[in-house]
Amino acid sequence: MARDDDQLYGPLLHTSPPLRSSTDTDIQREPGTSYLTPTTTPGLNPRPLLTQPNCLKTQRYCLTKTDRVAPNDVVVIGFAERRSAASGNFDCDTKALIFSFVVALAEPTLSRFTVDTLDKPTNKSSISNMKVFVTGAAGFIGKSTVRELTQNGHQVLGLSRSDANTTAITEAGGSPHSGSLEDVESLKSGAQAADAVIHLAFIHDFSDLDRSTAVDRTAVAAIGEALTGTGKPFIVASGTLGMPPGEVSTEETQPMRNMGAFSERIKAADIVQELAKNKNVRGMLIRFSPTVHGKGDGGFVPRLIDMSRQAGTVLYTGDGSSRWPAVHRDDAAVLLRLALEKGTAGSVYNAVGEQGVSMKDIMTLIGKRLDLPVKGVSVEEAAESMSFFAHVISMDNPTSSEKTQKELGWQPVQPGLLKDMEANYF
């Protein structure tokens, strides 16, 4: 939402009692002002404003007095849009009316108002021009996300804990916000200053995952506290590796809770679901593939390459049939933007461009490019040189994103993992 609307939205988004619909409230027409009511106008699809609070851009608010409401009530007059029956997109050949709205009542007599029409509606997205607080904005996925958001009309406030972070965020098109994942006050202030939050940061210390997941939970809870009651989008990164092995996971698949430190991260996801269900936060989870790839990747695949180079042998476990889903970071960035603009509260979306790439294919390519022998061994044998990673590469984790693609209109278009590795990893 535009910054000059803060005084209107501020009291609105923290009002108690909860919003109630009022379709019979009088709407007084002022000269030159158009209006419609959702109950009497054919072809319009009313929906509560707070499901998408950032799409309205009105010019004028005209309030008059009546005696229909109680003190501190909020009245939803309506939110409507005229759409093309064929495509579902805005019909830009007519002047669509996008009007409202919600009035935060300073005294019990105010409930009438009018608004101007919005010319030239857009079918690009349902929410535009948002200010988005992004944790992990200077990271591998984060920088691509900042670029994707700013190139599509949004502003980005990126969490920065160093001069290097500040430079990376600025070069990607965002503005730095000083703080860190362990500085909860900086997280809260960043969330409060924005219209939405995308939480990508995570301490990737695999020697102490208990601490990493604890910090993550605390960060998610702090941001959630700052967003409670606002209806703002809150997108939190999660992963696919905690799903049951050996079967194709979907967005509906429930994670396993008996995987030690891996399962600890699920508790952060639980917080997000609670925020969406009971705290009026548009909380969403994005489950990322273990391989988010692209030029400049510093994740799992580069570590596998380095370990193979040091060991002089490329190893996979068993017969190498374990599969990992994969996604290019630029495709993942598009998904994050679409979830921000279109996603629904409580939803889980899978950031998966390829359902499953076999570990044998990955390791065979590494062996080919490093000119090293490739062989299958037991998990225990692989752990002698690969430690924790031997267990990770043994996980069979095929994952579908069919629902995500259909619901959000997301279409991965970037190169697949093996092709990307050939071009950018050696």
Side-chain angles (χ1 to χ4, degrees):
M1 66 190 72
R3 293 292 93 197
D4 57 4
D5 280 346
D6 277 356
Q7 288 187 326
L8 175 67
Y9 280 85
L12 160 67
L13 296 177
H14 295 88
T15 298
S16 179
L19 298 178
R20 59 185 176 85
S21 176
S22 178
T23 56
D24 60 349
T25 301
D26 290 341
I27 301 179
Q28 176 175 323
R29 183 169 184 169
E30 296 289 324
T33 303
S34 299
Y35 72 98
L36 296 170
T37 59
T39 55
T40 60
T41 306
L44 295 179
N45 299 313
R47 59 189 175 197
L49 169 73
L50 282 188
T51 60
Q52 297 193 28
N54 302 82
C55 49
L56 183 73
K57 293 185 182 301
T58 56
Q59 307 297 321
R60 175 163 27 122
Y61 305 89
C62 306
L63 300 178
T64 56
K65 292 189 175 183
T66 184
D67 57 0
R68 295 196 173 200
V69 294
N72 298 319
D73 264 358
V74 173
V75 179
V76 179
I77 304 298
F79 168 70
E81 58 194 34
R82 185 179 297 280
R83 291 179 177 266
S84 161
S87 68
N89 293 327
F90 284 124
D91 180 1
C92 293
D93 293 329
T94 63
K95 177 183 285 188
L97 292 175
I98 298 180
F99 69 102
S100 104
F101 200 61
V102 177
V103 180
L105 297 165
E107 55 179 295
T109 58
L110 296 181
S111 72
R112 298 185 185 186
F113 70 100
T114 59
V115 299
D116 286 342
T117 60
L118 172 65
D119 294 322
K120 298 179 181 179
T122 176
N123 60 11
K124 185 173 185 180
S125 66
S126 56
I127 300 179
S128 60
N129 301 317
M130 300 179 72
K131 187 174 186 180
V132 187
F133 177 46
V134 179
T135 72
F140 177 65
I141 303 171
K143 287 183 290 187
S144 188
T145 301
V146 173
R147 287 191 292 268
E148 175 66 23
L149 291 172
T150 56
Q151 289 169 5
N152 283 274
H154 302 291
Q155 303 172 55
V156 172
L157 191 64
L159 184 66
S160 173
R161 58 185 173 85
S162 67
D163 290 342
N165 282 176
T166 294
T167 298
I169 292 167
T170 303
E171 289 179 348
S175 300
H177 174 77
S178 295
S180 73
L181 202 55
E182 297 178 88
D183 179 358
V184 294
E185 293 306 316
S186 70
L187 299 177
K188 289 180 180 180
S189 63
Q192 290 165 347
D195 304 317
V197 178
I198 298 177
H199 175 52
L200 300 175
F202 189 79
I203 300 173
H204 291 93
D205 181 2
F206 296 104
S207 67
D208 194 357
L209 274 178
D210 287 335
R211 175 180 174 275
S212 297
T213 53
V215 170
D216 187 52
R217 287 196 303 275
T218 300
V220 170
I223 295 170
E225 180 182 340
L227 296 181
T228 293
T230 66
K232 293 179 181 180
F234 182 23
I235 297 173
V236 174
S238 186
T240 67
L241 278 180
M243 301 301 113
E247 59 185 66
V248 178
S249 298
T250 71
E251 293 83 353
E252 307 299 328
T253 303
Q254 294 299 307
M256 298 185 298
R257 295 180 179 269
N258 59 350
M259 296 180 65
F262 271 108
S263 296
E264 286 299 303
R265 195 171 186 185
I266 299 170
K267 295 178 181 179
D270 293 340
I271 295 172
V272 177
Q273 295 294 353
E274 170 65 17
L275 291 168
K277 183 177 181 180
N278 296 316
K279 302 294 184 179
N280 191 21
V281 176
R282 187 153 64 93
M284 294 164 276
L285 291 171
I286 305 290
R287 290 177 180 164
F288 282 90
S289 305
T291 48
V292 181
H293 58 90
K295 189 174 183 179
D297 181 7
F300 275 131
V301 171
R303 295 190 187 198
L304 295 177
I305 293 171
D306 288 342
M307 285 187 288
S308 298
R309 184 181 285 114
Q310 293 171 13
T313 304
V314 183
L315 304 178
Y316 55 82
T317 59
D319 63 0
S321 61
S322 58
R323 296 157 291 176
W324 275 9
V327 67
H328 193 283
R329 69 164 175 171
D330 290 343
D331 284 329
V334 173
L335 172 57
L336 287 164
R337 175 180 62 79
L338 291 174
L340 177 76
E341 296 171 348
K342 301 179 180 182
T344 57
S347 289
V348 174
Y349 300 111
N350 286 344
V352 172
E354 295 176 278
Q355 181 170 295
V357 183
S358 79
M359 193 53 59
K360 185 174 183 178
D361 287 345
I362 294 171
M363 292 308 201
T364 297
L365 176 57
I366 292 174
K368 172 187 170 184
R369 293 303 303 267
L370 297 183
D371 193 23
L372 293 174
V374 181
K375 64 178 180 178
V377 297
S378 68
V379 173
E380 292 73 21
E381 289 177 285
E384 293 177 6
S385 60
M386 302 178 73
S387 186
F388 165 81
F389 287 92
H391 299 276
V392 175
I393 66 171
S394 70
M395 294 180 179
D396 190 29
N397 184 226
T399 305
S400 167
S401 62
E402 181 178 352
K403 180 182 177 182
T404 297
Q405 295 187 42
K406 182 176 181 180
E407 184 173 326
L408 298 180
W410 178 56
Q411 295 183 327
V413 297
Q414 299 297 327
L417 174 60
L418 298 178
K419 186 175 180 179
D420 195 14
M421 287 174 62
E422 284 271 18
N424 296 305
Y425 280 68
F426 298 96

